[in-house]
């Protein structure tokens, strides 16, 4: 899919740029990071706001309609015009791994069907940001993990991780798992606002975790997102993300085609 990954895609999707946002765990902030990156990319190219799309292959834990599913949050926080059902064709209410939530709902998920559900989105957009469910080794179907979907899509991965104590181990293990499967890793984003984050005032590790992850993995840490990010304003979310993260690696991972006026990344 992406020319930036070493993997060979065998997915029946149009060839294009893409980034798969995975994490060290559920609740680490993948949705807010995915929305934030989409908001940044779309703000950089306002004339081509349709160029960057978002896909959540399978979501679990909420019912569509009350604004709490990831697809609904992504639409609002990134300022998308798609219907949430277009962003995610598979929604299961049980707060469980997708494979288990689907089984409970009597649905037999296959990775081929999941990928096929994204064909309209991939035809509509030139660049896709894809948010996984939970961490990379979460069961997606009866046979495959989320990491198998990343491999099939052939996209580079971004790892979202907590900023506090414990994140070095979780992040290095996630990097090892993805590398062992041949996935190219574009970077790591640390998040100080993750649901189970410790207070950064009481946690001296937050000052050194990014450097440790870079030292032991060689993967760039783009920065640390602060807590309190807004999910209701794509413009504010984009501005605060630009201030917090070094987005040069994002731009390298997702080279944008020049706009009609000749403008490329600013
Ligand atoms: N930096 C932040 N600022 C404000 N709220 C945040 C931030 N990071 C995470 N949150 C909140 O923490 C909760 C968990 O984050 P989020 O839903 O993005 O995690 P996730 O990794 O996407 O989880 P899942 O595996 O369910 O997809 C959400 O309520 C989210 O709004
Ligand atoms: C229910 C959660 N919110 C999430 C699935 C997390 C599964 C975690 C399984 C595990 O690691 O043990 N669903 C989702 O991202 O749509
Ligand atoms: Mg999420």
């Amino acid at each position: 899919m992406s020319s930036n990954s070493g993997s060979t895609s065998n997915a029946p999707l149009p060839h294009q740029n893409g980034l798969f946002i995975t994490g060290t765990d559920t609740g680490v902030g993948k949705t807010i990071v995915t929305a934030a990156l989409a908001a940044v990319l779309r703000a950089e190219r306002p004339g081509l706001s349709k160029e960057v799309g978002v896909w959540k292959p399978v979501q679990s834990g909420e019912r569509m309609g009350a604004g709490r599913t990831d697809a609904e949050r992504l639409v609002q926080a990134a300022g998308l015009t798609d219907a949430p059902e277009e962003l995610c064709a598979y929604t299961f209410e049980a707060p469980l791994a997708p494979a288990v939530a689907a089984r409970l709902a009597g649905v037999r998920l296959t990775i081929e069907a999941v990928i096929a559900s994204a064909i309209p989105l991939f035809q509509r957009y030139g660049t896709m940001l894809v948010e996984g469910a939970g961490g990379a080794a979460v069961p997606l179907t009866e046979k495959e993990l989320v990491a198998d979907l990343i491999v099939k899509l052939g996209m580079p991965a971004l790892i979202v991780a907590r900023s506090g104590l414990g994140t070095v181990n979780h992040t290095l293990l996630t990097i090892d798992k993805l590398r062992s499967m041949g996935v190219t890793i574009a970077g790591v984003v640390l998040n100080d606002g993750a649901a189970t984050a410790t207070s950064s005032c009481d946690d001296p590790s937050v000052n050194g975790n990014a450097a440790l992850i870079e030292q032991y993995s060689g993967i760039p840490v783009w920065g640390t997102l602060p807590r309190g990010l807004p999910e209701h304003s794509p413009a504010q979310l984009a501005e605060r993300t630009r201030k917090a993260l070094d987005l040069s690696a994002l731009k390298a991972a997702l080279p944008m085609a020049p706009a009609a006026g000749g403008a490329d990344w600013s």
Side-chain angles (χ1 to χ4, degrees):
M1 177 93 19
S2 165
S3 54
N4 303 300
S5 170
S7 318
T8 306
S9 169
N10 53 5
L13 291 171
H15 176 96
Q16 64 186 192
N17 285 324
L19 185 66
F20 196 107
I21 293 88
T22 185
T24 53
D25 199 356
T26 185
V28 291
K30 296 181 303 297
T31 301
I32 207 156
V33 169
T34 305
L37 298 181
V40 168
L41 291 166
R42 291 164 68 86
E44 297 249 357
R45 304 291 300 278
L48 289 177
S49 62
K50 275 289 191 185
E51 193 171 338
V52 179
V54 178
W55 177 37
K56 174 89 184 182
V58 182
Q59 60 187 1
S60 57
E62 298 287 351
R63 188 196 296 238
M64 202 80 103
R68 288 196 297 267
T69 62
D70 280 6
E72 291 164 293
R73 290 173 55 207
L74 287 164
V75 165
Q76 180 173 50
L80 301 166
T81 53
D82 313 272
E85 292 78 7
E86 294 178 283
L87 256 67
C88 183
Y90 294 99
T91 301
F92 302 107
E93 206 176 334
L96 295 165
V100 186
R103 195 192 309 144
L104 278 181
V107 175
R108 192 180 153 268
L109 272 185
T110 66
I111 203 160
E112 291 78 17
V114 170
I115 290 171
S117 74
I119 290 173
L121 278 178
F122 278 70
Q123 286 170 339
R124 192 175 313 158
Y125 294 108
T127 296
M128 288 297 298
L129 302 184
V130 186
E131 186 202 338
V138 162
L140 180 69
T141 71
E142 291 298 331
K143 291 188 202 153
E144 290 106 350
L145 304 175
V146 168
D148 293 300
L149 176 62
I150 307 177
V151 171
K152 284 224 181 235
L153 294 173
M155 287 180 174
L158 173 69
I159 298 168
V160 180
R162 294 185 181 86
S163 55
L165 193 65
T167 200
V168 174
N169 173 56
H170 293 153
T171 305
L172 295 179
L173 286 172
T174 302
I175 289 169
D176 269 0
K177 172 71 179 168
L178 292 173
R179 276 185 168 151
S180 76
M181 295 176 75
V183 174
T184 299
I185 302 164
V188 172
V189 167
L190 298 178
N191 182 17
D192 195 34
T196 55
T198 50
S199 162
S200 42
C201 314
D202 305 331
D203 182 353
S205 81
V206 294
N207 298 321
N209 286 336
L212 282 172
I213 289 165
E214 290 188 335
Q215 179 186 343
Y216 286 91
S217 69
I219 300 293
V221 176
W222 297 1
T224 303
L225 281 178
R227 54 191 64 194
L229 289 175
E231 288 201 14
H232 57 273
S233 165
Q236 283 177 28
L237 185 59
E239 193 188 330
R240 298 197 43 193
T241 302
R242 262 195 233 98
K243 283 187 184 146
L245 302 184
D246 173 1
L247 294 175
S248 51
L250 173 70
K251 296 174 182 185
L254 295 177
M256 306 275 268
D264 204 338
W265 281 108
S266 49

